[in-house]
Amino acid sequence: LASPSCATALCLAVMGDLWRSKKMSLVQLVVQNGAAHAVVSKLGELGMMQLRDLNAGQSFFKRSFVDEVRECDDLQRILRSVEEQLVEAGIAPSSSGATDPSLPSLDTVDAKLRAAEVEVETLKASQSLFERNNNALDEQSIVLEMGKKFYKTGAAPALSESDMATSLLSLTEFGGQASSMLSVLAGVIKTESVAALERVVFRATRGNAVFQQKTVKTKLLDTSGKVPELVQKTFFMVFFSGAVLGDKVSKIATYFGATLYKYPSTALDHAAMTYEVHKRKAESAQVLEQSTAILRGALTSLAAAYGPWSYVVAREKMVYDALNKCEFDLKRAVFIAEGWVATDEYEALVTSLQSAAVAQGLDTRPIINLIQSKLTPPTYVPTNAFTSGFQALVNTYGTPRYREVNPGAFCCILFPYLFGIMFGDFGHGLLFAGFGYWLISKEKEWEGKDLGDMLEMVYGGRYICFLNGLFGAFVGLLYNEAFAFPMGFFGTSRWEGFEEEGLSGMTCEHLERCELSGPIYPVGIDPIWHVTENKITFFNSLKMKISIVVGVLQMSLGIYLSLLNHLEYKDVKKVLFQFIPEVTFFGGIFGYLVLTIFMKWSTDWSCPLDHAAAEAGLPAAEGGICQPAPSLLTLLINMFMSPTADITVPLYGIECFGGAGNPDCAGVAEAGYCVYPALAAACPVSCGAPVAAGDFVDLLRAATVDEHTGAMLSSEYKICISPLQSYIQLKLLLAAFVAVPILLLAIPLIEIYQHSGNKYDNLDEDDHEAEDDGHAFSAGDAFIHQGIHTIEFVLGGISNTASYLRLWALSLAHKQLSMVFWEMVMLPPLQSCRAGGSSWRCAVPLFFGFAVWVVLTTAIICCMEMLSAFLHALRLHWVEFQNKFYKGDGKKFVPFSFQTMVENMDDEE
Amino acid sequence: KNLCAQRLPTRGVETQAAPCCGFPAAMMTYNIDVGYLEGLLRGYRAGILNSTDYANLTQCETIDDMKMHLSSTDYGNFLQNEPSPISTTTLAQKTTEKLVEEFNFLRMQAVEPLATFLDYITYGYMIDNIILVLTGTSHNRSSEELLEKCHPLGLFDSMATLCVTQSTSELYRTVLVDTPLGPYFGDCISLEDLDEVNIEIIRNTLYKAYLEDFHAFCMKVGGETAEVMGDILKLEADRRAINITVNSLDTDLDLKSREKLYPTIGLLYPEGTSRLIKATDLDAVRSAIDAFPDYRGLLSEGYDDDKTIEDQFFELEVNLNRLAFEQQFHYGMYYAFVKLKEQEIRNIVWIGECISQDQRGRINQYVPIF
């Protein structure tokens, strides 16, 4: 057990705080009542401590400082209304002056803010009064003006200029009475309700009124609401006769929200009134201007104070909220606060609190105790600019449990690596990395600014982008691919012999006609593979195997990390009965699969080039082992389906037996096969039956008649088997099958045993707080939980391994897509260039072809493909990797800090 | 006078080509039109305060405490810009605003025939508003004050003009003829003055016509809507009938005109109402409704101080409305939502009143919903 902890120490040195969440201590502060506020403020400045709610269960409005919180709420309401006023007036409020040392106290802010509110209210009120007044004068002048127009168009032709002094509608034809029979009502109303008004007036007067209307061109204030606003209004005039009707009409008009204005009955009055209105309008405009200036002045001075004030109020509210979480001991006149602090910051906290107490001149220093507790501490994983993005990916799935191995530490490299395998293209990768680098270079400029949702997200993941791009380029280098081309960084292909035939005719079978000239290609895949006919088959086989290898390695890492977790929590039974069976099962099957992949890769399966020798059936003199390469899929299937049968296409430990003589087919009728006595004699142990199985015996030479002697020559046979491989596979399979029931049963049984012994221990545990007590033990639950875990692990081993094949699939899709774009868009213009002709006929299609190609490459490959590769890499991390060890049910450490508050405030703005 | 002869046309229904839930296949296409709204509505329903919320609210000491608790519910910070102390009027106003906002959103998104259905819901509020303004005017209240008191769901354009009307025919001609309530008004034209009794008669006549029309509409829509709304509207009709009878026992309203006010739907119609017509004292009313198990307890307990007959009807109504949410593919739950929310507002205001008037003993007399 020494080595994992040693590894832990090593990792700790390399990965620092990211490896496991920090150790936390529960700290208790005991301070005299008077100093409570000062101490909590200090805590907020330090931002090291997460306060526990000691009054949980008590409803909020019964806590000690609820009045102060309410006060702050009220102040925030005032601040909000002030902000509204400022925005309305187009003045930018100052930002929060968190760094300003000379911040006013809450009481000062309270007094000043309330005074300012009253002042602004008063100014607003008088301002609005002036506005209304001004508006009324406006409307009056409009009524006068438009009314006159109505008369001019309607009645004026009947009047001569000398009639100015008489009534405008004298109606002398009705008997010459001096006073007119028709009265008039004029006013303005919102355009939207003029039709309804007209209708109702018509109905109410039974048609005995004439209604005239005209839309006013300029917009006027609607003063009916609390806040006056500019609306479209219509001027109207109603002619009617009789006082009763007039009363009714004016009432109706008022109810419809119309403003009625006096309309003079004679032209002289009209002129006088117009003059009067104009005079008053000029005065009123001046007054309005002045009052607007005063209001603006008041608001400007408020705007400067707005930032610091809102900061103070928000800070104080936070302090009182925190104080509400503390316990107040009235008898001893002390308050008690409890909270979590990172253990290594404890000393710093103590010293700064003590020095703060001295600086504040407190009589007694705060008493600070460390408390032993069974409570689960919060998870505190400090991050920096580089790791925060990766840690965020992990936290989105779940915050790590306290002191659990943090997958974020591995995510930093493994995530880009998996991404790279899927996005493997040197050119695209570099483009993407360049984008990431550009984002990083903007760090100084953009940090702490509001960038908008989309950009904020991309900016937060700038290091992810950069690393993803780099890894994409790196894997692209290994695939030897840039924009779907092979690259020649290390010279041309090492295979020779293609020149005459052209490249497209090459297949793997024909490679024997080519020769490897010198050492193999130093980095990545030989470029020739991109042009052979069987390139897809070749790459598929390669990438599929790479996917499995990477996947199994990553999952094994996950399983070993679970070991580190068990050790951290000192859970021996899980080490013995969970980790070991898991490793046995997983390593025995999938680890073995990876091993066979490497074995198959490192074995030279080819036959020597000596065709004559091959035809003569002579054993290989040089070159490979001249055996059919086994299909690994079949190998794995046979390992499960027929574990005891002999392996006829072996991978390693190959033993071959040969013999001559004709098969004895006497028993073919009942047994279905012929027996080769010669082979059976040669083969040592296991060949008894298998040799007889006919179908996998290599016939090296059929029975022939000797040319010279004419004698019948017997056939020659060969059989190759691998007893070693059979043996190993059988043992591995047995081990895996034994591991499963252990995994399933051992832990629940142990737990049942543990809980049956100590019935009375629970009494002690009752002393601890309820949240720690957990659930009562139940044997059924234990079995179900372990059963679920087992099923998930065993089935997951298979399905997760298969799931890693997405690495291959996405990589294939990426390559094919970029190749299609190249062939469909860029190749035709290039070919037309090659075909010759004028340079225009080459350049123009090339120009547009290139443009289209660039757009497609950026939009589809670099954006869409990138997203899908990102998503799949994320899934592989969350599901396939993390389910091997990660619980992710921790609570995030949220220190009580004014700094975070300021950030939140800025975000809201 | 010839207006009286006008028959009630059933509006809105003829234009609909396919009623929503008449046949089973309609279930398949139901969500095309109404799925989004139903999702919204069920979300709104989840926001209705539950018994835990009420338990917390009743423990509050001031209305500001209530505000604090309500801010943790679906109401959110709807009171955050109100200076404290908050009055119960503000509470009622703001909670109603929230309901109206939600209802209007549903109304804007609705397509036929749901849109007409939602309009029907507002007619009830219109009737209440008209009666409120008429009563207020007869008591010489100012129009602004009256308009402020009106329920915002039942506001219509020419509402303010109600104040100038002197007689019923004028009322009809100047105001109501433009509103959807016009057709309901046919039977009231003969009344002359707008005195208190006549206003009451107008209210009940309008309501009777409204309920019958709404009921006919729901039947036309068919399916679960008819089933659910049938039950709810029948209860509403019976409540009206019983209330009319009880309230008119000591007045000089003659039996003939009382008969006209009974809705022709409901469990009580026709046997129950025919007995109610003849009832001249409370015992007769009691014996008239005793035959109906749903209402049997109403009057016998009704004169305890414990629960008024009104509260008991509220409980019956809440129960029916709650059941409406147990079914799908019907419009009844829109109606139920509005009514439940209205009950919730009454509850909140009641709790608020009890707190502010220090009547904590009666605080638990609200009608629990969920």
Side-chain angles (χ1 to χ4, degrees):
Chain A
L1 296 184
S3 67
S5 56
C6 190
T8 312
L10 184 72
C11 290
L12 206 62
V14 177
M15 296 182 176
D17 293 330
L18 211 55
W19 170 241
R20 283 186 199 281
S21 65
K22 280 197 166 190
K23 279 200 170 141
M24 307 298 286
S25 310
L26 188 59
V27 173
Q28 189 186 46
L29 294 177
V30 183
V31 191
Q32 65 190 94
N33 261 350
H37 186 272
V39 169
V40 170
S41 303
K42 185 70 192 168
L43 282 180
E45 276 165 35
L46 292 172
M48 290 177 176
M49 189 162 166
Q50 176 182 346
L51 289 168
R52 273 190 66 216
D53 192 352
L54 297 178
N55 300 325
Q58 196 175 20
S59 56
F60 179 72
F61 45 85
K62 287 193 176 145
R63 299 188 178 193
S64 316
F65 290 93
V66 69
D67 287 336
E68 283 82 352
V69 173
R70 232 174 246 159
E71 175 74 21
C72 292
D73 272 344
D74 199 40
L75 288 179
Q76 280 183 329
R77 176 188 62 79
I78 298 176
L79 281 167
R80 265 195 306 275
S81 80
V82 166
E83 196 186 350
E84 258 172 42
Q85 308 271 7
L86 290 177
V87 170
E88 201 181 301
I91 305 170
S94 62
S95 60
S96 65
T99 47
D100 190 356
S102 60
L103 281 173
S105 73
L106 184 65
D107 291 338
T108 339
V109 172
D110 190 344
K112 279 189 184 170
L113 191 56
R114 284 181 195 282
E117 187 199 16
V118 173
E119 189 194 348
V120 171
E121 290 272 295
T122 327
L123 286 175
K124 262 283 197 207
S126 61
Q127 159 94 355
S128 125
L129 193 68
F130 292 136
E131 264 177 4
R132 278 159 205 256
N133 196 12
N134 200 38
N135 189 54
L137 286 169
D138 274 350
E139 289 182 356
Q140 171 80 70
S141 77
I142 285 170
V143 165
L144 287 173
E145 194 182 321
M146 293 182 100
K148 200 174 173 186
K149 270 187 203 156
F150 271 129
Y151 276 107
K152 274 209 177 127
T153 50
L159 298 167
S160 64
E161 287 298 313
S162 58
D163 284 338
M164 283 294 278
T166 61
S167 171
L168 283 172
L169 277 177
S170 61
L171 303 171
T172 40
E173 61 268 35
F174 287 103
Q177 286 154 330
S179 63
S180 69
M181 265 174 68
L182 276 187
S183 315
V184 63
L185 257 175
V188 286
I189 188 170
K190 273 197 270 183
T191 304
E192 63 208 42
S193 37
V194 70
L197 173 68
E198 183 173 5
R199 201 161 53 231
V200 172
V201 165
F202 178 80
R203 283 203 195 113
T205 59
R206 310 197 176 197
N208 290 324
V210 179
F211 193 91
Q212 294 284 350
Q213 57 166 6
K214 195 165 173 28
T215 314
V216 179
K217 284 202 187 75
T218 51
K219 289 204 166 179
L220 291 165
L221 280 185
D222 171 28
T223 49
S224 58
K226 276 178 193 160
V227 184
E229 53 185 330
L230 284 175
V231 290
Q232 186 73 52
K233 286 194 174 181
T234 298
F235 160 78
F236 69 91
M237 252 181 155
V238 190
F239 302 95
F240 56 88
S241 64
V244 180
L245 220 50
D247 197 32
K248 203 181 232 176
V249 171
S250 76
K251 252 189 189 170
I252 291 175
T254 320
Y255 289 143
F256 267 92
T259 337
L260 295 175
Y261 291 96
K262 217 166 111 187
Y263 194 80
S265 51
T266 64
L268 267 186
D269 285 353
H270 188 280
M273 208 163 156
T274 312
Y275 173 72
E276 178 72 11
V277 166
H278 274 285
K279 205 174 85 185
R280 278 171 57 198
K281 230 172 99 176
E283 284 167 14
S284 139
Q286 205 175 357
V287 173
L288 185 64
E289 199 176 304
Q290 275 174 7
S291 86
T292 312
I294 295 173
L295 180 67
R296 200 176 166 80
L299 283 178
T300 315
S301 63
L302 252 185
Y306 174 81
W309 285 2
S310 55
Y311 172 72
V312 168
V313 172
R315 192 190 65 183
E316 291 301 310
K317 188 181 171 198
M318 236 181 125
V319 169
Y320 287 120
D321 269 336
L323 281 173
N324 271 335
K325 290 182 179 173
C326 301
E327 205 173 283
F328 276 82
D329 190 332
L330 292 175
K331 254 186 205 165
R332 291 185 289 162
V334 290
F335 94 104
I336 299 160
E338 276 181 25
W340 295 102
V341 175
T343 309
D344 54 359
E345 285 175 359
Y346 172 67
E347 290 302 323
L349 180 81
V350 172
T351 38
S352 33
L353 275 187
Q354 302 287 19
S355 59
V358 172
Q360 296 258 340
L362 297 179
D363 312 339
T364 48
R365 292 187 182 182
I367 304 163
I368 304 171
N369 299 322
L370 276 176
I371 306 182
Q372 292 300 318
S373 159
K374 283 199 167 182
L375 294 175
T376 314
T379 308
Y380 178 26
V381 182
T383 53
N384 55 28
F386 172 68
T387 53
S388 64
F390 293 100
Q391 188 63 42
L393 290 183
V394 171
N395 285 353
T396 313
Y397 180 85
T399 309
R401 185 182 274 196
Y402 177 65
R403 295 296 289 161
E404 151 174 71
V405 169
N406 173 20
F410 298 93
C411 195
C412 295
I413 292 302
L414 287 184
F415 183 82
Y417 182 53
L418 291 189
F419 178 88
I421 294 177
M422 289 180 273
F423 198 71
D425 189 295
F426 191 71
H428 299 146
L430 278 190
L431 278 182
F432 193 37
F435 174 66
Y437 183 77
W438 176 72
L439 285 176
I440 293 172
S441 71
K442 289 278 178 190
E443 217 165 54
K444 274 190 186 136
E445 197 180 320
W446 284 357
E447 194 60 55
K449 276 191 193 153
D450 181 28
L451 301 171
D453 277 354
M454 196 64 201
L455 192 57
E456 184 90 49
M457 206 166 66
V458 176
Y459 175 70
R462 58 199 181 279
Y463 284 99
I464 303 181
C465 288
F466 182 60
L467 272 197
N468 279 356
L470 280 190
F471 272 87
F474 166 66
V475 179
L477 194 67
L478 296 187
Y479 290 163
N480 208 341
E481 223 172 280
F483 303 110
F485 290 107
M487 298 173 290
F489 285 155
F490 306 96
T492 51
S493 170
R494 298 296 191 264
W495 293 90
E496 282 179 352
F498 306 105
E499 283 78 5
E500 296 82 20
E501 304 177 34
L503 294 175
S504 53
M506 288 306 303
T507 67
C508 196
E509 287 91 68
H510 297 141
L511 266 182
E512 62 204 39
R513 266 184 280 149
C514 312
E515 280 177 6
L516 198 59
S517 65
I520 57 160
Y521 209 69
V523 175
I525 292 162
D526 194 295
I528 197 68
W529 284 111
H530 288 267
V531 287
T532 54
E533 232 168 44
N534 62 344
K535 58 186 172 185
I536 291 186
T537 326
F538 171 77
F539 275 109
N540 280 354
S541 154
L542 179 74
K543 286 177 177 173
M544 217 186 297
K545 290 190 175 92
I546 288 177
S547 305
I548 298 292
V549 170
V550 168
V552 171
L553 286 182
Q554 195 183 19
M555 286 190 285
S556 311
L557 173 67
I559 297 173
Y560 281 99
L561 290 180
S562 80
L563 170 69
L564 296 185
N565 277 342
H566 301 327
L567 291 177
E568 175 74 23
Y569 298 129
K570 305 206 167 43
D571 200 344
V572 180
K573 67 171 182 281
K574 285 212 168 164
V575 175
L576 294 178
F577 301 111
Q578 184 160 320
F579 168 71
I580 292 182
E582 280 180 2
V583 163
T584 318
F585 177 83
F586 195 78
I589 295 170
F590 301 102
Y592 177 68
L593 179 64
V594 170
L595 199 72
T596 55
I597 288 176
F598 279 106
M599 278 181 158
K600 188 175 172 184
W601 272 341
S602 54
T603 310
D604 187 354
W605 299 99
S606 65
C607 275
L609 291 176
D610 186 354
H611 294 278
E615 275 164 27
L618 296 173
E622 53 175 341
I625 57 173
C626 200
Q627 279 284 326
S631 153
L632 294 184
L633 194 63
T634 323
L635 185 149
L636 196 69
I637 291 172
N638 282 340
M639 182 171 161
F640 282 98
M641 302 305 289
S642 46
T644 51
D646 271 289
I647 291 158
T648 55
V649 193
L651 178 66
Y652 55 92
I654 303 168
E655 288 178 31
C656 290
F657 304 95
N662 291 321
D664 173 13
C665 291
V668 77
E670 57 269 23
Y673 51 76
C674 303
V675 177
Y676 300 86
L679 274 185
C683 185
V685 190
S686 61
C687 296
V691 169
D695 41 329
F696 56 86
V697 172
D698 279 349
L699 179 67
L700 292 180
R701 192 171 61 195
T704 47
V705 179
D706 189 86
E707 288 171 13
H708 307 294
T709 59
M712 186 76 172
L713 289 177
S714 56
S715 322
E716 270 189 47
Y717 306 99
K718 189 178 115 181
I719 180 170
C720 288
I721 51 166
S722 173
L724 176 67
Q725 195 182 345
S726 302
Y727 176 78
I728 289 179
Q729 287 184 184
L730 188 64
K731 289 290 171 310
L732 286 176
L733 193 70
L734 282 177
F737 271 97
V738 171
V740 174
I742 295 179
L743 183 60
L744 182 67
L745 298 174
I747 290 184
L749 290 175
I750 292 173
E751 280 179 354
I752 290 171
Y753 173 73
Q754 280 176 337
H755 283 267
S756 64
N758 46 8
K759 281 179 190 165
Y760 302 103
D761 280 3
N762 284 334
L763 283 178
D764 296 338
E765 282 168 18
D766 284 346
D767 293 344
H768 302 297
E769 299 201 20
E771 55 180 298
D772 188 42
D773 223 350
H775 307 289
F777 175 78
S778 135
D781 280 358
F783 274 110
I784 288 172
H785 283 302
Q786 194 63 23
I788 290 173
H789 177 85
T790 310
I791 292 169
E792 201 175 286
F793 185 85
V794 172
L795 295 187
I798 299 158
S799 66
N800 291 354
T801 309
S803 184
Y804 273 94
L805 288 176
R806 73 185 67 233
L807 292 176
W808 154 56
L810 270 118
S811 162
L812 176 76
H814 184 100
K815 182 193 162 83
Q816 291 303 316
L817 210 57
S818 38
M819 224 159 74
V820 163
F821 288 149
W822 173 258
E823 279 173 7
M824 304 299 283
V825 182
M826 276 299 276
L827 219 52
L830 278 177
Q831 274 165 348
S832 77
C833 282
R834 194 199 258 171
S838 75
S839 55
W840 278 111
R841 286 174 64 184
C842 165
V844 174
L846 199 60
F847 177 81
F848 288 107
F850 183 71
V852 173
W853 182 74
V854 166
V855 169
L856 287 177
T857 301
T858 353
I860 298 195
I861 308 272
C862 287
C863 295
M864 277 170 58
E865 263 289 308
M866 183 276 286
L867 277 181
S868 85
F870 188 95
L871 217 67
H872 284 277
L874 194 64
R875 182 228 143 91
L876 285 176
H877 264 266
W878 279 358
V879 181
E880 274 76 22
F881 177 47
Q882 291 183 3
N883 76 3
K884 299 287 178 295
F885 67 101
Y886 188 50
K887 297 284 186 292
D889 54 358
K891 274 185 229 139
K892 210 175 172 191
F893 175 65
V894 188
F896 170 63
S897 157
F898 295 147
Q899 188 58 38
T900 52
M901 174 198 78
V902 173
E903 279 158 18
N904 289 341
M905 268 170 71
D906 288 347
D907 280 357
E908 276 164 29
E909 280 162 21
Chain B
K1 293 289 174 195
N2 60 347
L3 285 168
C4 297
Q6 213 173 9
R7 283 312 311 151
L8 296 184
T10 328
R11 268 166 298 104
V13 185
E14 299 88 340
T15 50
Q16 280 108 52
C20 92
C21 332
F23 56 106
M27 282 187 189
M28 281 199 304
T29 55
Y30 176 83
N31 280 348
I32 296 174
D33 285 341
V34 203
Y36 170 56
L37 288 180
E38 179 157 350
L40 273 181
L41 189 75
R42 293 205 178 259
Y44 287 152
R45 176 224 169 277
I48 290 178
L49 301 183
N50 56 26
S51 52
T52 331
D53 291 318
Y54 281 118
N56 279 325
L57 283 178
T58 49
Q59 279 170 18
C60 293
E61 272 155 21
T62 63
I63 297 187
D64 284 288
D65 291 342
M66 287 179 71
K67 165 187 166 185
M68 234 167 229
H69 180 77
L70 285 176
S71 66
S72 68
T73 65
D74 245 31
Y75 281 103
N77 40 15
F78 74 124
L79 285 172
Q80 72 164 355
N81 285 334
E82 296 301 320
S84 52
I86 294 167
S87 66
T88 44
T89 325
T90 323
L91 208 56
Q93 199 183 337
K94 287 287 170 178
T95 41
T96 310
E97 237 170 58
K98 183 106 196 307
L99 165 63
V100 171
E101 197 181 295
E102 288 170 354
F103 179 83
N104 282 342
F105 189 78
L106 293 174
R107 173 66 189 84
M108 293 302 153
Q109 303 283 333
V111 292
E112 292 296 342
L114 177 60
T116 311
F117 182 88
L118 292 179
D119 283 342
Y120 265 106
I121 296 180
T122 62
Y123 298 164
Y125 294 97
M126 279 188 197
I127 296 175
D128 286 344
N129 284 349
I130 290 170
I131 301 305
L132 179 90
V133 174
L134 289 181
T135 322
T137 317
S138 71
H139 287 100
N140 295 324
R141 298 288 182 81
S142 78
S143 66
E144 285 89 21
E145 185 194 344
L146 290 171
L147 286 184
E148 246 171 51
K149 279 189 181 163
C150 283
H151 198 285
L153 277 184
L155 287 180
F156 53 92
D157 251 357
S158 47
M159 198 134 167
T161 344
L162 282 173
C163 306
V164 279
T165 52
Q166 305 291 334
S167 66
T168 43
S169 56
E170 203 179 10
L171 173 71
Y172 176 74
R173 198 175 302 117
T174 52
V175 186
L176 293 182
V177 69
D178 271 349
T179 67
L181 301 181
Y184 301 157
F185 207 69
D187 293 339
C188 304
I189 303 288
S190 56
L191 301 167
E192 273 308 319
D193 297 331
L194 286 173
D195 61 10
E196 214 158 309
V197 175
N198 279 349
I199 290 176
E200 210 40 48
I201 290 175
I202 289 175
R203 178 215 293 275
N204 285 310
T205 316
L206 285 178
Y207 241 104
K208 168 185 145 81
Y210 160 63
L211 284 178
E212 285 165 3
D213 189 19
F214 196 4
H215 189 259
F217 174 77
C218 293
M219 292 304 132
K220 186 100 179 174
V221 170
E224 280 87 349
T225 308
E227 189 185 321
V228 172
M229 282 310 292
D231 286 349
I232 294 177
L233 290 176
K234 272 176 196 157
L235 174 72
E236 186 67 29
D238 291 343
R239 165 157 72 179
R240 296 253 149 218
I242 293 174
N243 277 344
I244 291 167
T245 318
V246 172
N247 291 337
S248 64
L249 284 181
D250 298 331
T251 60
D252 49 0
L253 189 72
D254 59 295
L255 300 182
K256 241 315 174 336
S257 49
R258 193 162 88 190
E259 186 186 354
K260 277 194 206 158
L261 302 178
Y262 292 134
T264 55
I265 54 170
L267 295 178
L268 292 178
Y269 182 82
E271 298 92 357
T273 42
S274 67
R275 283 207 214 169
L276 283 177
I277 292 165
K278 291 168 199 140
T280 47
D281 57 6
L282 206 58
D283 283 330
V285 178
R286 196 172 293 148
S287 66
I289 62 171
D290 256 359
F292 299 90
D294 286 357
Y295 310 131
R296 189 171 292 157
L298 286 176
L299 284 171
S300 47
E301 284 171 14
Y303 285 92
D304 292 351
D305 284 339
D306 216 25
K307 273 182 185 167
T308 60
I309 183 169
E310 213 167 325
D311 278 348
Q312 294 184 54
F313 265 119
F314 278 146
E315 272 171 25
L316 284 175
E317 191 191 357
V318 162
N319 192 35
L320 270 188
N321 287 334
R322 205 165 40 194
L323 288 179
F325 283 97
E326 306 293 317
Q327 294 193 44
Q328 221 192 333
F329 308 118
H330 70 102
Y331 298 153
M333 51 189 159
Y334 294 88
Y335 184 87
F337 166 69
V338 174
K339 292 293 162 187
L340 287 179
K341 205 73 183 166
E342 210 188 357
Q343 183 60 44
E344 178 176 298
I345 293 169
R346 274 197 295 268
N347 288 344
I348 292 176
V349 172
W350 171 263
I351 293 173
E353 288 286 357
C354 284
I355 288 172
S356 61
Q357 294 176 19
D358 211 17
Q359 297 263 335
R360 302 195 69 89
R362 305 180 61 195
I363 205 166
N364 283 320
Q365 286 181 18
Y366 62 86
V367 183
I369 298 179
F370 284 111

